[in-house]
Amino acid sequence: MQQLTSQAVTINQLRTENKRLKNDIRCLKNINSRDIIFPNTDERGLGDPDTPTNLSDKYFY
């Protein structure tokens, strides 16, 4: 009987974790569906000290 109780607790914990992970996936999909711009990053070349930092966003699309 104790083993069944232990298994039931484990199943409930895993169901809760599964719900949380599904929610996290849904949230990440929503975030990734938008166009996100990360200014002042190395992708723009701003990690190089010789690159000017006053660049307009219109050049990076």
Side-chain angles (χ1 to χ4, degrees):
M1 187 66 170
Q2 185 179 9
Q3 184 178 7
L4 289 175
T5 304
S6 174
Q7 289 175 344
V9 169
T10 301
I11 289 170
N12 285 333
Q13 289 172 344
L14 292 173
R15 283 184 180 155
T16 303
E17 179 70 11
N18 192 21
K19 282 183 181 180
R20 188 186 64 75
L21 291 172
K22 284 182 179 180
N23 185 49
D24 289 349
I25 289 170
R26 189 174 57 250
C27 291
L28 289 171
K29 283 182 180 178
N30 288 337
I31 290 171
N32 287 331
S33 67
R34 301 181 194 137
D35 291 333
I36 300 174
I37 298 172
F38 296 99
N40 301 327
T41 62
D42 290 334
E43 287 121 21
R44 289 187 167 190
L46 298 178
D48 183 5
D50 297 329
T51 304
T53 57
N54 58 350
L55 301 173
S56 172
D57 284 342
K58 69 180 181 179
Y59 295 108
F60 297 101
Y61 288 101

